[in-house]
Amino acid sequence: MRTLLAAVLLMFTLPSLADSYIDLYQAGGWPQQRAHFRDALSSAQQRYRNSLPPAIYQALVDNSNQRFTAAGMDQRALAGLRQLSDPQPALAFFQSPLGRKIINAEVLATQREQLAQYAKGVPRSQAGATRRELIGQLSQALPAKEAGAEVSLALASVAADSLSQMMPGLLGGGQAQAMLDNQRQRLMGQIGSDLDNSLLFVYRELSEAELQAFVDFAQSTDGKAYYQAALAALRAGLAVGQSSASLAP
């Protein structure tokens, strides 16, 4: 019986182990970033505690917890990542020593303690012309301002989503979408205005040679394909603008 059970479990496990998209999801630091988002969500919920009536606050907590379950976010984001036709080049890059160093730097930057320490902005970085040029190329190649805007919108929209559920019709679909689009553009402008300095800080431990290799990957056909799929995966995982009801399994 024990042997039969092991064989059954093995049949269900092998496809997952052989799934390069799941490997890329892990290597890209997605589970850690999702956990950090959940930390930020918890902080956002606490900020609303004293400014909303108890019933609305509880609806906010319940709805946002339902919307942003770990399993749901992983499932939606992984489905978005599968838009990438060939995950192997990106997987090879992020499993390399340089790739792991990049992901570690990105994961560190979104930890609760780091976000609290630099809530008013990261310090101005001193860098030479070559390093600034490389960072400038990265800021053009990476969808950093788009990703930052989506995360900010996801955190900000939890209250609006709860109010809409309690008072249907409060915002018409077209009006709500227009507000989201305007807010998205505003956030992207804010993030983009200081993006180079932010990236200088996040990747401060990378040498110029490592930055050049990072730029080469980000600007390559494979790198562009990965970051396009990664942005789609992020948007799918956060599901900004979608009702909680539409995300129910």
Side-chain angles (χ1 to χ4, degrees), residues 4 7 10 13 21 40 61 64 101-102 114 145 185 190 195 225:
L4 176 61
L10 187 60
T13 303
Y21 291 97
V61 171
S64 57
K101 189 173 182 179
I102 290 167
Q114 290 283 299
K145 61 180 182 291
Q185 291 302 316
Q190 288 180 346
L195 183 56

Side-chain angles (χ1 to χ4, degrees), residues 27-58:
W30 289 81
Q32 296 96 319
Q33 296 289 18
R34 182 253 300 143
H36 292 174
F37 173 83
R38 291 279 305 176
D39 288 340
L41 175 65
S42 178
S43 297
Q45 291 172 341
Q46 291 303 313
R47 287 196 296 271
Y48 285 113
R49 177 183 289 275
N50 296 324
S51 59
L52 292 175
I56 295 179
Y57 172 73
Q58 191 57 52

Side-chain angles (χ1 to χ4, degrees), residues 19-141:
D19 191 328
S20 295
Y21 291 97
I22 294 178
D23 292 341
L24 178 56
Y25 193 76
Q26 296 284 344
W30 289 81
Q32 296 96 319
Q33 296 289 18
R34 182 253 300 143
H36 292 174
F37 173 83
R38 291 279 305 176
D39 288 340
L41 175 65
S42 178
S43 297
Q45 291 172 341
Q46 291 303 313
R47 287 196 296 271
Y48 285 113
R49 177 183 289 275
N50 296 324
S51 59
L52 292 175
I56 295 179
Y57 172 73
Q58 191 57 52
L60 177 150
V61 171
D62 293 343
N63 289 337
S64 57
N65 286 345
Q66 176 186 348
R67 167 184 286 270
F68 297 120
T69 64
M73 292 182 70
D74 284 345
Q75 183 179 25
R76 295 193 300 269
L78 188 55
L81 196 60
R82 290 185 187 279
Q83 295 183 22
L84 183 63
S85 59
D86 182 7
Q88 289 298 333
L91 178 59
F93 178 79
F94 288 115
Q95 286 182 334
S96 70
L98 173 58
R100 290 194 296 270
K101 189 173 182 179
I102 290 167
I103 296 303
N104 288 340
E106 294 171 351
V107 169
L108 174 64
T110 59
Q111 286 182 351
R112 185 199 300 263
E113 296 79 11
Q114 290 283 299
L115 294 178
Q117 183 176 354
Y118 301 111
K120 296 183 179 180
V122 299
R124 306 305 300 180
S125 298
Q126 302 298 319
T130 299
R131 192 172 189 85
R132 289 192 174 276
E133 172 64 24
L134 291 169
I135 287 294
Q137 293 180 47
L138 267 184
S139 70
Q140 293 296 316

Side-chain angles (χ1 to χ4, degrees), residues 199-218:
L199 295 184
L200 277 169
F201 181 77
V202 172
Y203 301 120
R204 60 192 180 277
E205 298 299 328
L206 271 64
S207 68
E208 289 185 1
E210 289 171 330
L211 280 174
Q212 182 64 68
F214 189 10
V215 168
D216 291 344
F217 170 73

